[in-house]
Amino acid sequence: MTDPLPAPLAESPLQPLPDVGGPAQALLSVSGLTKTFAGRGKLFGGRAGAVQAVSAVSFDVRKGETLGIVGESGCGKSTASKLIMGLLEPTAGEIVFDGEALGRDAAGLRRYRRQVQMVFQDSFSSLNPRLTIEESIAFPPMVHGMARKAAIGIARDMLAAVGLQPAQYATRFPHELSGGQRQRVNIARALALRPRLVVLDEPVSALDKSVEAQVLNLLMDLKAEFGLTYIFISHDLNVVQYISDRVLVMYLGRVVELGAAEAIFAGAAHPYTSALLASRPSVAGRSREAPPLVGDPPSPVNPPSGCAFHPRCVFSEAVCATTRPALLPVAVPDRQAEHLAACLINQPGSGHSRAPKAA
Amino acid sequence: MIFYIVRRVLYSIPIALSVGLVCFLLVYISPGDPISAIAPPDAPAEMITQLRRDYGLDKPLPEQFAIWLGRVVQGDLGRSLSTGRPVWGEVSVALKNTVSLAVAACTLAFAIGTLLGGLAAAFRDTWVDRIAMTFAVAGVSVPHYWLGMLLVAVFAVTFPLAPSMGAGPGGTFVWDWAHLPFLILPMVTLSAIPLGLVARTVRGTVIEILHQEFITTLRGKGLRSGGILLHVAKNAAPSVLAVMGLQLGYLMGGSILVETVFSWPGTGFLLNSAIFQRDIPLLQGTILVLALLFVALNLVVDLGQALLDPRIKR
Amino acid sequence: MSALQSQSQPLVKVRDLNVAFVSKEATLHAVNGVDFDLAPKETLCILGESGSGKSVTLRSLMRLHPPRRTRITGTIQVDGTDIVAASERELSSIRGRLVSMIFQEPMTALDPVFTIGKQITETIRRHEGVSHQEAQRRALDLLELVQIPSARQRLDAYPHELSGGLRQRAMIAVALSVRPKLLLADEPTTALDATVQIQVLLLLKRIQAELGMGVIFVTHDLGVAGEIADRIAVMYAGRFIEEAPAEALLEAPEHPYVEGLLGATVTPASRGRRLTAIPGSPPNLRTLPVGCAFAPRCTSAEPNCRAAVPDLRALAPDRTVRCIHPAGLRPSMPPAMAFAAEERAP
């Protein structure tokens, strides 16, 4: 039996911090988030290869939802997650958590970090190999001032919550567990502080399919149990489709599409999203002859002009090379107002021949 | 590539300047007054003051450094206090002997070390590996001077096969048949440490390379051992080059004991006498030249690595 | 084995293949009695999770395992040549010429300090002894065959100077240098981006048709297998537990593990449903159970399953399964529901 029936944490002295802004306010609000990595200095000054990994990214994460972030290598999804976690300092932009702007002061950051936790792809390297499982999970509460004994108690509760028998696993070391079990431990550690937002960066990508399903089910259960909000980053579109309420698609550091998962997977508004969806291998696809897209994702060191996707886009026109499309509501009446895309095709009066006529 | 070379050369300049500064300050951090070495013990105070003025020792420190640096750049390292001859002449002769010895020792160490390391890696965890690595560890751990004395005892005294003193006729080493026998014992002694280090580096590097997936690809392409060896060698070259370069650098300056044991008229020997005679200008000049040589050698190694490994950013 | 192959001489014939890795501490039984045939120009996908023995089986076809620690028994015939009995010398002339291989991570599978061109030409020259110019010319053709843009410049490029997709294309070019009859592919698209993966899959399909190679393709991804395979063989604990034409297997799996795997795989249709995870984790290859290795995780397991490894049984001329009660012969409730019921039990 692997799927857990989590034990209630009523006796736990650690309670989640209270909701400040009420359900209508976004839990996390990111606006204009930009991160530029300086390139190597050239001889006699000059900047070679400064990379804008994340460019003017704005989005909200609503309370209780799962926001999926998808994109290929170099799209900036990992950098974005590190910015959200406060592991990197943004070059520009603002992060607001439950109505409170994230500053750089130690106390604020500390409070923020208690409420926002992260789970990484590599279950092994994100655990200290010399600590037992329960010590690893107890570590964050102890850092936040809890007595060791109480923290170990929480660790054991969390182990039970992620479906690992505390009596059997608490005193083992990471190398004695399988990949799926280790990832459960990482989830338990992330939850030990009773966070409100969990950033999951490719949490199931390194797992076998049969174990992946166990962990996804667990994540769904824990979300309901602890009233969590997720940011779920993945390159696997099927998994994102399965777990997300809303989906954000990134390409070369920018958001190209954002909307409800149903809407996007039923009818993507951005040609890149469509191509990404059509690229999923399946039995149904075996009759196809031509790939949906040619070429590799471009390097962020040297981004194309205008719309970054235009060199690979089948609908590309001259205007695409010169105009960078803004992220605007999709102007199709039967779609939800909440569906945004950064493509000139959807924007009346953009100059693209496929764009709807300006009203 | 040309930019990389220029940049790397420019990076060496501040390092060389710092080296110069340290050498210059040697005079002030070393115990004892240099003047006392040339002045008679009962010299009157006026004479000492006069000497100080003559040698420029009464000026403020930065000014002394600037003057000193200006002279050094023109190749003037001052005069030896003990012989009165220009330091540059003394150092350059000694340097030639030392470089000859170091290059010979390094070549020997490289050849045998690579062979031992390569064999150990190819026959990992077998008796071949164990014997080769015993040699390597012994080479690194045996004290230089003790090995030198042992070799002298065996090959010069018990079985008089090779000379054990000096660099041969004329007191300085030249690459000819008359001088070569004099090279043998100090060369073998000096090669022990780099030999051990090279053997261990080659073994470690080659084992690491053999574990990489591209080796499987090469086997999968049907390449025979010889073809695979070529790939291993080119992949291992940058690491081995780095170790070799560093060792050559150490040998140039670090052979005081060996040169003393064999009375080899090199920089180590020179340093030794300079220290005992408190010949500060000679000491200063020798150390400066050796240190600059070391900096230059590092530069060459870095450039060589960039040439051998296309992944190093240019 | 299957009707399709009995008509012509198979390109690959594997019988009772066993591969074990021996160390001081333990013996790891990676492959435990594998039989299969591959027809010329056929694509077989070996599907399995980590530790199932799929890669080990694949590498056995070229005997690429570390020779000193590997124990390999059984027969492997590729185009009539006995691979298990061949000497190292014979093997080196078979490798790359008759059989060649592409890997998951082209960045590590290509030598970082040699140019792409050199890595292709050395294979050509090794097997055909042609001149440098001739090899160079053929290398250029190969880069064009795998659709690498501005091929002439790429000959002089080092692997790190190419994008992930181009690197994998270069790896394919290296493998095709001497037009092998059998191409082995070890998860060649797993490390690639989604939009690049499909390009490489389609390229492989096209080249296979063009050159008429047999392909054995190892993957853990059902979608990839569905996209490229003629037949799929599923491995578990070093055994083939089910083998069938691709569509048939993905549509109606027979073995409980394969059913479970399909249920656990997230597809567009999974949304809104709870995934039917397979409980437990894969077996330890050092201490395999006596009976069916999947029995400890199987909901339909019975004492017979644990007594001995079930025989491979033919359910149709082109379909085999290693299970006492495959889905087609099971009377009770549908398998997916059985898993769901098990999972919800306290």
Side-chain angles (χ1 to χ4, degrees), chain A residues 69-72 202 232 234-244 247-249 261 264-265 272-281, chain C residues 194-195 266-268 271:
Chain A
I69 301 183
V70 289
E72 298 178 276
E202 305 265 9
F232 192 100
S234 179
H235 69 280
D236 186 331
L237 286 151
N238 289 333
V239 170
V240 168
Q241 178 175 15
Y242 176 71
I243 204 159
S244 309
V247 174
L248 184 153
V249 185
I264 287 186
F265 283 89
Y272 173 64
T273 315
S274 311
L276 209 52
L277 294 179
S279 295
R280 288 186 278 187
Chain C
T195 58
V266 189
T267 64
R271 189 170 165 84

Side-chain angles (χ1 to χ4, degrees), chain B residues 95-152:
Chain B
L95 195 65
K96 222 183 110 229
N97 291 328
T98 291
V99 169
S100 300
L101 178 58
V103 167
C106 260
T107 310
L108 181 71
F110 178 75
I112 299 184
T114 307
L115 188 71
L116 283 185
L119 281 175
F123 298 96
R124 192 186 173 190
D125 295 333
T126 64
W127 60 270
V128 178
D129 184 12
R130 253 162 259 143
I131 290 177
M133 281 307 106
T134 310
F135 252 101
V137 171
V140 175
S141 1
V142 167
H144 258 147
Y145 55 91
W146 182 83
L147 179 65
M149 291 192 288
L150 183 77
L151 290 178
V152 169

Side-chain angles (χ1 to χ4, degrees), chain B residues 20-157:
Chain B
L21 183 63
V22 171
C23 285
F24 170 74
L25 290 175
L26 258 183
V27 184
Y28 294 90
I29 53 180
S30 57
D33 188 340
I35 297 302
S36 63
I38 28 173
D42 55 349
E46 300 89 70
M47 185 178 170
I48 295 201
T49 316
Q50 182 61 38
L51 275 170
R52 278 188 186 284
R53 199 171 300 133
D54 291 351
Y55 281 93
L57 294 174
D58 57 340
K59 297 201 173 77
L61 218 53
E63 199 185 329
Q64 283 189 45
F65 180 57
I67 294 170
W68 178 80
L69 200 65
R71 287 211 309 257
V72 165
V73 171
Q74 295 162 36
D76 177 7
L77 296 175
R79 284 176 179 276
S80 164
L81 295 182
S82 51
T83 63
R85 285 202 295 265
V87 168
W88 173 245
E90 305 260 324
V91 173
S92 62
V93 170
L95 195 65
K96 222 183 110 229
N97 291 328
T98 291
V99 169
S100 300
L101 178 58
V103 167
C106 260
T107 310
L108 181 71
F110 178 75
I112 299 184
T114 307
L115 188 71
L116 283 185
L119 281 175
F123 298 96
R124 192 186 173 190
D125 295 333
T126 64
W127 60 270
V128 178
D129 184 12
R130 253 162 259 143
I131 290 177
M133 281 307 106
T134 310
F135 252 101
V137 171
V140 175
S141 1
V142 167
H144 258 147
Y145 55 91
W146 182 83
L147 179 65
M149 291 192 288
L150 183 77
L151 290 178
V152 169
V154 175
F155 293 106
V157 180

Side-chain angles (χ1 to χ4, degrees), chain B residues 3-290:
Chain B
F3 272 119
Y4 177 80
I5 296 175
V6 173
R7 198 170 66 226
R8 191 58 194 75
V9 170
L10 289 182
Y11 282 161
S12 316
I13 291 175
I15 302 176
L17 274 178
S18 326
V19 165
L21 183 63
V22 171
C23 285
F24 170 74
L25 290 175
L26 258 183
V27 184
Y28 294 90
I29 53 180
S30 57
D33 188 340
I35 297 302
S36 63
I38 28 173
D42 55 349
E46 300 89 70
M47 185 178 170
I48 295 201
T49 316
Q50 182 61 38
L51 275 170
R52 278 188 186 284
R53 199 171 300 133
D54 291 351
Y55 281 93
L57 294 174
D58 57 340
K59 297 201 173 77
L61 218 53
E63 199 185 329
Q64 283 189 45
F65 180 57
I67 294 170
W68 178 80
L69 200 65
R71 287 211 309 257
V72 165
V73 171
Q74 295 162 36
D76 177 7
L77 296 175
R79 284 176 179 276
S80 164
L81 295 182
S82 51
T83 63
R85 285 202 295 265
V87 168
W88 173 245
E90 305 260 324
V91 173
S92 62
V93 170
L95 195 65
K96 222 183 110 229
N97 291 328
T98 291
V99 169
S100 300
L101 178 58
V103 167
C106 260
T107 310
L108 181 71
F110 178 75
I112 299 184
T114 307
L115 188 71
L116 283 185
L119 281 175
F123 298 96
R124 192 186 173 190
D125 295 333
T126 64
W127 60 270
V128 178
D129 184 12
R130 253 162 259 143
I131 290 177
M133 281 307 106
T134 310
F135 252 101
V137 171
V140 175
S141 1
V142 167
H144 258 147
Y145 55 91
W146 182 83
L147 179 65
M149 291 192 288
L150 183 77
L151 290 178
V152 169
V154 175
F155 293 106
V157 180
T158 314
F159 309 101
L161 297 173
S164 66
M165 289 284 281
T172 182
F173 184 78
V174 189
W175 287 99
D176 63 23
W177 291 114
H179 289 81
L180 270 185
F182 289 86
L183 187 68
I184 295 172
L185 289 185
M187 172 180 79
V188 170
T189 309
L190 210 53
S191 70
I193 288 182
L195 190 153
L197 286 174
V198 167
R200 286 205 301 199
T201 307
V202 168
R203 179 181 182 269
T205 312
V206 169
I207 284 177
E208 197 193 311
I209 293 168
L210 288 178
H211 270 107
Q212 290 193 29
E213 199 171 41
F214 72 80
I215 295 294
T216 311
T217 312
L218 297 176
R219 289 176 63 209
K221 295 200 297 190
L223 290 199
R224 297 196 201 98
S225 316
I228 294 177
L229 188 66
L230 185 73
H231 285 262
V232 173
K234 194 165 175 200
N235 274 277
S239 317
V240 179
L241 178 79
V243 173
M244 264 337 284
L246 221 57
Q247 284 308 307
L248 187 61
Y250 287 135
L251 291 195
M252 303 245 177
S255 51
I256 296 186
L257 290 173
V258 174
E259 291 191 355
T260 308
V261 167
F262 291 99
S263 308
W264 188 264
T267 48
F269 200 61
L270 198 63
L271 276 177
N272 193 7
S273 39
I275 290 167
F276 281 110
Q277 293 165 12
R278 201 170 282 167
D279 190 341
I280 298 290
L282 186 61
L283 190 65
Q284 208 177 33
T286 315
I287 291 179
L288 179 70
V289 169
L290 288 176

Side-chain angles (χ1 to χ4, degrees), chain C residues 41-245:
Chain C
K41 304 178 191 179
E42 188 187 21
T43 302
L44 170 71
C45 260
I46 303 180
L47 186 73
E49 298 186 274
S50 49
S52 63
K54 55 188 193 302
S55 282
V56 178
T57 305
L58 192 75
R59 282 166 196 234
S60 302
L61 292 165
M62 275 166 107
R63 255 176 62 199
L64 274 180
H65 307 299
R68 269 192 282 159
R69 322 190 281 114
T70 311
R71 248 181 243 143
I72 176 164
T73 61
T75 31
I76 303 172
Q77 285 193 354
V78 179
D79 203 29
T81 313
D82 187 342
I83 299 290
V84 177
S87 68
E88 268 301 319
R89 202 183 160 73
E90 288 165 324
L91 277 178
S92 81
S93 60
I94 292 168
R95 291 176 184 150
R97 188 171 56 81
L98 178 61
V99 196
S100 65
M101 186 153 171
I102 53 178
F103 298 86
Q104 176 171 347
E105 201 15 283
M107 190 65 200
T108 56
L110 291 169
D111 187 334
V113 302
F114 280 72
T115 62
I116 299 298
K118 172 74 183 158
Q119 300 193 48
I120 298 175
T121 51
E122 72 177 350
T123 318
I124 300 175
R125 300 190 69 192
R126 156 72 182 89
H127 289 291
E128 303 194 350
V130 298
S131 71
H132 177 72
Q133 285 79 3
E134 170 66 8
Q136 195 79 12
R137 195 189 57 70
R138 298 232 330 242
L140 187 62
D141 289 349
L142 280 159
L143 289 193
E144 275 159 6
L145 177 74
V146 297
Q147 298 168 339
I148 290 183
S150 35
R152 195 170 292 279
Q153 288 95 291
R154 308 285 196 207
L155 279 178
D156 297 324
Y158 290 94
H160 72 277
E161 295 169 337
L162 301 182
S163 66
L166 289 188
R167 264 202 297 273
Q168 192 57 291
R169 285 168 195 268
M171 178 80 240
I172 295 171
V174 170
L176 298 179
S177 301
V178 202
R179 307 269 158 131
K181 286 189 179 167
L182 175 62
L183 180 68
L184 308 177
D186 193 357
E187 306 240 17
T189 62
T190 306
L192 302 176
D193 274 322
T195 58
V196 180
Q197 161 169 291
I198 191 70
Q199 297 172 36
V200 172
L201 283 177
L202 291 175
L203 174 75
L204 278 172
K205 267 166 90 166
R206 207 204 69 220
I207 288 176
Q208 183 202 11
E210 235 171 270
L211 305 184
M213 296 180 293
V215 173
I216 302 179
F217 193 109
V218 158
T219 182
H220 71 280
D221 188 321
L222 287 163
V224 169
E227 187 89 35
I228 197 165
D230 297 323
R231 278 190 307 141
I232 297 178
V234 183
M235 278 191 90
Y236 190 79
R239 298 189 185 99
F240 274 26
I241 55 162
E242 183 166 355
E243 191 184 336

